[in-house]
Amino acid sequence: MVRMENVTKVYDSSGTVALDSISLDIEEGEFVFLMGPSGSGKTTIVKLITGEIKANSGKVIVNDFDLTKIRRGKLPKMRRTLGVVFQDYRLIEDMTVYDNVAFAMRVVGAPGREIAKRVPYVLDLVGLEGRERRLPRELSGGEQQRVAIARALVNSPRMIIADEPTGNLDPVRSLELMLLLEKINEMGTTVVVVTHEKDLVDALGRRVITIDNGKVMSDGMDGVYSYEIE
Amino acid sequence: MGYTAMRLSRGGYLIREGFRSIKTHSFMSFATVTIIMACLIIMGSISLLSLNIDALIDDLENQNEMVAYVDEKLSEEQARELEQKLLSLDNVQDVEFVTRKEAMDNYFSKFDDYVKEGIDEEVFRHRYVIHLVDIAFMADTKAQLENIEGVGDVLAHQDYADAFVTIRNIVSIVSLVLTVILVFVSIFIMTNTIKLATFGRREEIGIMKMVGATNAFIRLPFIVEGMVLGILGGGLGYLVQWGLYSLLAGRLMGTLTGSFITLVPFSTVALPLLIIYLGLGVFVGVFGALNAIRNYLKV
Ligand SMILES: Nc1ncnc2c1ncn2[C@@H]1O[C@H](COP(=O)(O)OP(=O)(O)O)[C@@H](O)[C@H]1O
Ligand SMILES: [Mg+2]
């Protein structure tokens, strides 16, 4: 879940007001699109949720952690409840598919036996069975993004947040990836997808929050949005 | 048991990561080990030099005696009673009583007998030959001795004492300053090597943070790397130092037999030196690693 109340974020370096007293609520188990043109503040919202940056004012609560008050030492604990997916996949180039996913478990100290059980299961779930031994560069873009999703999923997070996950994919792969995220959502994980692609949003017919200039412009269910981007 | 297994597999992971990192930038690692080695050898040489100068000065100090003359009015018996009072001074190491007769015999032993004809032993005074614990406080001790009732003049070679103390102080200060500078240089080099390592793995670090690895966990492989490099530098530096010192000692003994210079044998400093070398290596490694990775762990 995410709860943002009157959150303002100003980047010191440029003086840009990226978010202007924004408020939004995402409940446990929801599937939500965050839509808005480039530069509207979407990634800033993602970074506030992951704790990478701090808000200038307002309240940010993620999976019951109050990020405006959280101590630095507690951040790892909060992050273990989150799975993050980026447009550029961010896989480790010299690790196999299997190791890229297992890495996420190893670095939080998961026992070897659990890793050996969980990684194949998750790779199966995202449709990568048989690709375990490949290196990222030996995969298509869509497959690489599935590895990233598997890695985000492997520690059983409460919420997955994907920042333009289909930005580098063609329309067919994009839709496949959305259907995968829907499947993951149906299994009980909250899913937040950041995108500026209207077609995808229209195709899935889910809750859509539109953002522009650091403000919420509309928030509607079943693919309804009253604000036109571009 | 599951917990232990996890700890073990983590330990294995850390050590593997540390070595993997050293291998991927082997040139910088090699340079770091070499520089730490060089710094330690310079430091070690200075320290050994200062140790030997100290030993030499100690030696000379022992030859540098003070003489306290006993008041002429005192009998030999009374003069002997002064011994306890002299020994009670903190800086007095030992005293030796010399009677006027002994003093006279000693004085004339270099001359033919006829010279002392007609000279009475009353011309000489009873005296104490005194060795000090530390000649740096010679002036104070001289004053204290002169304050003791029954002690007349005190003869002391203040100039020698001052010179020794000055030399010793200079050597200590130079070696201390040099050590501090070289430790800084080592840490600087180590920091940059580990920075290179963190830079090469910044994506991995980013992913670790994203999935919720703790800062301590992220730091550890780099600390292991720093420690391995530091211990290598310290260990190799120690071996080279040992070799150089033994070589030098051999040469000096060979050419200067009978001279007053004898080097402190390496064996007497071997263990403390090893501990210092490895300790400094570990310190530089850990400190350099912490320094290097600091920026990555903000937020
Ligand atoms: N690190 C930064 N420093 C300064 N300005 C930034 C930074 N990141 C983003 N911005 C600015 O903040 C605004 C919102 O950016 P962002 O949240 O990345 O938008 P989006 O993801 O919707 O494209 C933009 O005007 C952008 O230029
Ligand atoms: Mg963005």
Side-chain angles (χ1 to χ4, degrees):
Chain A
M1 51 73 83
V2 177
R3 188 145 295 136
M4 297 179 91
E5 279 172 33
N6 306 316
V7 172
T8 296
K9 174 65 194 178
V10 182
Y11 285 107
D12 291 335
S13 55
S14 57
T16 312
V17 182
L19 296 178
D20 185 2
S21 190
I22 209 169
S23 296
L24 55 88
D25 268 317
I26 296 167
E27 301 301 331
E28 205 72 33
E30 273 197 289
F31 187 112
V32 183
F33 281 115
L34 219 57
M35 185 166 70
S38 171
S40 56
K42 304 183 297 295
T43 296
T44 302
I45 292 178
V46 172
K47 285 181 175 171
L48 282 170
I49 291 174
T50 61
E52 199 176 321
I53 56 174
K54 277 200 177 282
N56 295 75
S57 63
K59 207 169 183 141
V60 181
I61 297 172
V62 177
N63 291 339
D64 304 319
F65 290 87
D66 186 343
L67 299 192
T68 37
K69 290 197 198 125
I70 198 165
R71 297 215 327 272
R72 243 215 277 167
K74 274 274 168 69
L75 267 180
K77 207 172 164 205
M78 184 281 288
R79 287 183 176 144
R80 290 176 196 193
T81 69
L82 273 185
V84 192
V85 177
F86 301 95
Q87 178 174 349
D88 56 1
Y89 323 134
R90 302 208 187 163
L91 302 177
I92 300 169
E93 290 301 322
D94 59 2
M95 281 190 195
T96 62
V97 168
Y98 182 94
D99 282 334
N100 261 285
V101 178
F103 182 72
M105 290 187 83
R106 290 192 186 117
V107 301
V108 298
R113 258 189 307 138
E114 207 172 292
I115 297 174
K117 229 166 62 187
R118 176 81 180 158
V119 176
Y121 168 78
V122 175
L123 284 175
D124 226 41
L125 185 73
V126 301
L128 284 174
E129 60 280 1
R131 299 276 195 280
E132 294 85 351
R133 292 294 183 81
R134 301 253 188 117
L135 290 172
R137 63 168 174 277
E138 298 164 345
L139 300 175
S140 73
E143 287 172 323
Q144 288 187 52
Q145 195 58 296
R146 283 163 192 273
V147 179
I149 290 175
R151 181 180 64 197
L153 207 58
V154 78
N155 286 325
S156 310
R158 281 167 66 178
M159 178 164 81
I160 286 202
I161 181 159
D163 191 355
E164 314 229 20
T166 60
N168 293 339
L169 304 180
D170 63 51
V172 178
R173 301 302 145 223
S174 297
L175 192 61
E176 280 177 4
L177 202 82
M178 284 304 151
L179 294 176
L180 172 61
L181 288 170
E182 269 200 321
K183 183 168 105 183
I184 289 165
N185 174 243
E186 273 157 26
M187 296 168 74
T189 310
T190 310
V191 174
V192 179
V193 180
V194 172
T195 186
H196 62 266
E197 294 170 72
K198 265 168 62 177
D199 296 344
L200 272 183
V201 175
D202 290 341
L204 269 84
R206 295 300 202 121
R207 180 182 169 193
V208 192
I209 302 171
T210 57
I211 297 172
D212 203 357
N213 277 320
K215 288 195 177 71
V216 173
M217 306 311 287
S218 76
D219 185 351
M221 304 306 289
D222 306 325
V224 177
Y225 49 96
S226 50
Y227 184 77
E228 281 300 319
I229 63 169
E230 279 127 309
Chain B
M1 183 246 134
Y3 181 70
T4 318
M6 184 183 117
R7 293 295 297 253
L8 283 177
S9 75
R10 258 218 240 184
Y13 161 84
L14 291 171
I15 290 165
R16 259 200 320 279
E17 287 303 293
F19 277 102
R20 182 165 78 109
S21 182
I22 289 172
K23 254 186 1 206
T24 51
H25 45 270
S26 45
F27 176 74
M28 272 300 282
S29 303
F30 172 74
T32 309
V33 169
T34 310
I35 286 167
I36 288 175
M37 232 174 87
C39 286
L40 281 171
I41 290 170
I42 296 171
M43 263 188 263
S45 302
I46 300 278
S47 305
L48 287 171
L49 178 69
S50 120
L51 188 77
N52 275 294
I53 289 178
D54 253 18
L56 191 67
I57 288 177
D58 267 354
D59 225 40
L60 293 174
E61 258 178 29
N62 284 339
Q63 294 167 23
N64 184 30
E65 27 185 62
M66 282 168 77
V67 180
Y69 297 103
V70 177
D71 207 310
E72 289 133 6
K73 294 191 230 46
L74 269 56
S75 67
E76 183 179 333
E77 207 167 314
Q78 286 169 316
R80 281 188 186 279
E81 277 163 12
L82 281 173
E83 179 164 336
Q84 282 315 311
K85 279 191 189 159
L86 299 184
L87 278 172
S88 72
L89 295 180
D90 285 341
N91 198 28
V92 170
Q93 184 163 317
D94 57 64
V95 300
E96 189 198 340
F97 184 68
V98 179
T99 62
R100 46 167 62 116
K101 170 104 177 38
E102 286 163 351
M104 184 177 79
D105 290 348
N106 193 26
Y107 180 78
F108 285 115
S109 64
K110 296 168 198 118
F111 305 105
D112 292 330
D113 269 356
Y114 73 89
V115 178
K116 66 176 177 187
E117 249 164 62
I119 292 183
D120 189 57
E121 66 176 43
E122 294 297 316
V123 171
F124 292 87
R125 285 181 285 178
H126 297 304
R127 64 197 61 186
Y128 281 93
V129 173
I130 299 172
H131 289 126
L132 297 186
V133 177
D134 188 346
I135 59 170
F137 305 111
M138 184 179 262
D140 291 344
T141 311
K142 181 171 185 264
Q144 286 170 346
L145 286 169
E146 282 168 344
N147 269 338
I148 293 176
E149 206 165 327
V151 174
D153 307 323
V154 175
L155 180 70
H157 295 289
Q158 190 67 41
D159 314 352
Y160 288 168
D162 288 349
F164 287 154
V165 170
T166 307
I167 291 172
R168 203 157 53 172
N169 285 346
I170 289 174
V171 171
S172 310
I173 289 169
V174 166
S175 65
L176 189 72
V177 168
L178 224 87
T179 301
V180 169
I181 291 173
L182 291 173
V183 167
F184 269 101
V185 168
S186 304
I187 289 176
F188 178 78
I189 300 289
M190 180 64 83
T191 300
N192 280 294
T193 301
I194 305 289
K195 253 191 196 153
L196 201 75
T198 57
F199 185 77
R201 301 175 63 194
R202 61 196 181 284
E203 275 135 19
E204 277 174 56
I205 294 174
I207 292 162
M208 284 194 208
K209 285 168 66 172
M210 189 181 77
V211 301
T214 59
N215 281 351
F217 187 90
I218 296 171
R219 256 188 227 123
L220 265 170
F222 299 104
I223 292 178
V224 168
E225 179 175 351
M227 269 170 57
V228 169
L229 294 178
I231 289 172
L232 271 176
L236 291 174
Y238 178 78
L239 291 179
V240 171
Q241 183 81 71
W242 188 351
L244 284 178
Y245 192 82
S246 306
L247 205 72
L248 185 71
R251 281 283 165 82
L252 277 183
M253 302 300 176
T255 54
L256 295 169
T257 332
S259 85
F260 71 114
I261 296 180
T262 49
L263 289 185
V264 175
F266 193 79
S267 59
T268 60
V269 291
L271 188 65
L273 210 62
L274 180 65
I275 291 169
I276 290 169
Y277 271 48
L278 294 181
L280 273 177
V282 168
F283 171 77
V284 167
V286 170
F287 200 79
L290 287 178
N291 213 12
I293 196 162
R294 220 176 27 193
N295 288 336
Y296 280 92
L297 298 180
K298 288 184 187 143
V299 169

